[in-house]
Amino acid sequence: MKKLMKNHLSTAALALLLLCVADLPGRSEVQYAGIAPNQASSLRTIIDKRPVVHADGIKFGAYDPHGDFGAQTNVSTEALFLPWEDVDLETLRVADAYAQARGRNLLITVEPWSWDVDWRLTSEELRRKVLRGDYDVNMRAIAQMISQLRSPVIVRWGQEMEDKSGRFSWSGWNPADYIAAYKRMMDIVRDEAPGTELMWSPKGEPGLDAYYPGDDYVDLVGLSVFGLQRYDELAYNKHRTFSEALKQGYDLVAGYGKPIWVAELGYEGGDAYMRPWIETATLKQSAFPNLQEVVYFNDRDVHAWPFNLGRPDWRVVESLAAN
């Protein structure tokens, strides 16, 4: 197995863990008629767009490979992404120490592939090998390492499984196959690291219910909520708020009666677009009584968005990656 080498691993970035990002070409999209670009609405003067963390609001966490939230004391969760191939699992100890020093839990998203696109299997090859048990050893190694960590851990495996964009190799599988794979992986986690919480994490699209693995395999439900001004203008012909972007997914999963997180949050646009997101993301709202925490994705997106919008930069402070 090829190993992912990490040089000059900083404590703040932890490699936090590990975001190997590949520039992917934008797909050709139908150019729907939406709001024409408006210079005034796109005016950007906000330097730091991190969400306001309300004292009486819901909890806040971050995936933070740049360390922008390192000194912030009201962060409950340190999130990281982990491929199950081509990775040095000892870096999890660094993440654990970082979280322990700040009194945070760890949310570990295990992605069942390699981040090296040249090493990735096709969706069908991956499905067949996972169900056959070929990757049990990979998941068991991760779970065994988790059992040695001191921080409370939540495992999120194979996220956004109902997505139809082709972004992830495991998305769009036959629901029964996905459920069998999810249960197989989470059984290994339970066997090796008892007490670890399990997060089932759809994107929030219609049809997600077919992929629900059952109450016994879900401690938390995690959704993905992103707001990109120009995308909203083209796709929805309006600017969506955080609440509007969350509502569809929340309503689809609320009936399970599980605690709900926004496991990935990001927004980008002009001041007028972002300010409502900044101010309301951690605000308790009566429409979302089961929402417990939001986790900000503090980096540039890994994939290109539709309408040739490229890879949005969700980072809370301007980064060179956007230039």
Side-chain angles (χ1 to χ4, degrees):
M1 179 182 296
K2 189 177 68 171
K3 296 295 183 183
L4 185 67
M5 301 304 295
K6 291 293 173 185
N7 296 321
H8 310 297
L9 180 66
S10 70
T11 301
L14 316 166
L16 241 195
L17 220 71
L18 324 153
L19 189 60
C20 298
V21 179
D23 252 317
L24 298 182
R27 295 169 298 163
S28 175
E29 298 287 344
V30 176
Q31 299 298 308
Y32 296 104
I35 301 174
N38 182 289
Q39 187 173 0
S41 69
S42 299
L43 179 65
R44 172 72 176 273
T45 63
I46 295 173
I47 298 173
D48 190 326
K49 63 182 183 184
R50 72 186 64 216
V52 173
V53 180
H54 298 274
D56 58 347
I58 63 172
K59 292 181 179 180
F60 176 74
Y63 165 66
D64 188 28
H66 306 283
D68 295 322
F69 293 94
Q72 189 166 321
T73 58
N74 54 6
V75 178
S76 298
T77 299
E78 197 72 45
L80 57 96
F81 290 77
L82 187 74
W84 68 6
E85 291 190 281
D86 315 323
V87 62
D88 179 3
L89 293 179
E90 286 296 320
T91 51
L92 284 174
R93 297 190 194 277
V94 182
D96 183 40
Y98 186 89
Q100 275 274 302
R102 290 158 179 79
R104 302 174 183 176
N105 344 305
L106 284 174
L107 170 60
I108 303 176
T109 297
V110 180
E111 297 187 332
W113 62 0
S114 167
W115 281 345
D116 186 334
V117 295
D118 294 331
W119 283 65
R120 288 181 186 169
L121 304 177
T122 66
S123 179
E124 174 56 26
E125 288 172 332
L126 179 64
R127 183 195 65 81
R128 186 174 63 251
K129 292 187 73 172
V130 169
L131 293 177
R132 194 171 62 193
D134 292 14
Y135 282 101
D136 288 6
V137 63
N138 300 64
M139 197 66 190
R140 194 167 298 280
I142 292 170
Q144 287 172 347
M145 177 60 74
I146 288 172
S147 72
Q148 301 173 40
L149 306 182
R150 298 175 62 193
S151 305
V153 176
I154 301 163
V155 170
R156 176 179 179 241
W157 184 87
Q159 75 276 19
E160 300 187 11
M161 72 298 297
E162 86 281 24
D163 180 58
K164 297 180 176 63
S165 70
R167 176 173 182 156
F168 296 122
S169 300
W170 57 88
S171 296
W173 287 352
N174 177 284
D177 287 343
Y178 176 84
I179 290 171
Y182 175 93
K183 287 183 175 181
R184 185 180 193 112
M185 296 303 107
M186 293 310 200
D187 280 339
I188 291 172
V189 173
R190 283 177 165 168
D191 182 45
E192 298 290 347
T196 301
E197 289 195 288
L198 311 183
M199 177 181 283
W200 175 71
S201 194
K203 185 176 183 178
E205 301 289 338
L208 63 80
D209 56 305
Y211 292 89
Y212 188 65
D215 291 347
D216 291 345
Y217 281 85
V218 179
D219 297 310
L220 308 163
V221 174
L223 298 168
S224 300
V225 178
F226 289 93
L228 182 62
Q229 179 175 339
R230 189 60 187 141
Y231 179 81
D232 282 3
E233 292 169 351
L234 292 167
Y236 300 103
N237 204 34
K238 67 173 186 177
H239 294 159
R240 296 189 303 165
T241 64
F242 168 74
S243 301
E244 290 172 324
L246 171 61
K247 179 174 172 52
Q248 173 180 271
Y250 183 94
D251 289 349
L252 288 170
V253 301
Y256 298 127
K258 299 291 184 176
I260 297 170
W261 287 32
V262 174
E264 295 184 36
L265 168 70
Y267 44 81
E268 175 59 22
D271 289 4
Y273 179 83
M274 292 193 299
R275 201 170 301 283
W277 287 74
I278 291 170
E279 294 174 352
T280 62
T282 74
L283 194 66
K284 282 187 178 178
Q285 300 184 55
S286 59
F288 310 122
N290 293 340
L291 185 61
Q292 287 196 348
E293 186 160 344
V294 298
V295 179
Y296 197 87
F297 185 92
N298 190 38
D299 207 350
R300 193 178 182 191
D301 205 307
V302 181
H303 294 268
W305 273 47
F307 305 112
N308 296 316
L309 294 176
R311 289 167 45 209
D313 191 5
W314 311 117
R315 189 172 172 184
V316 293
V317 296
E318 186 174 5
S319 68
L320 296 176
N323 299 326

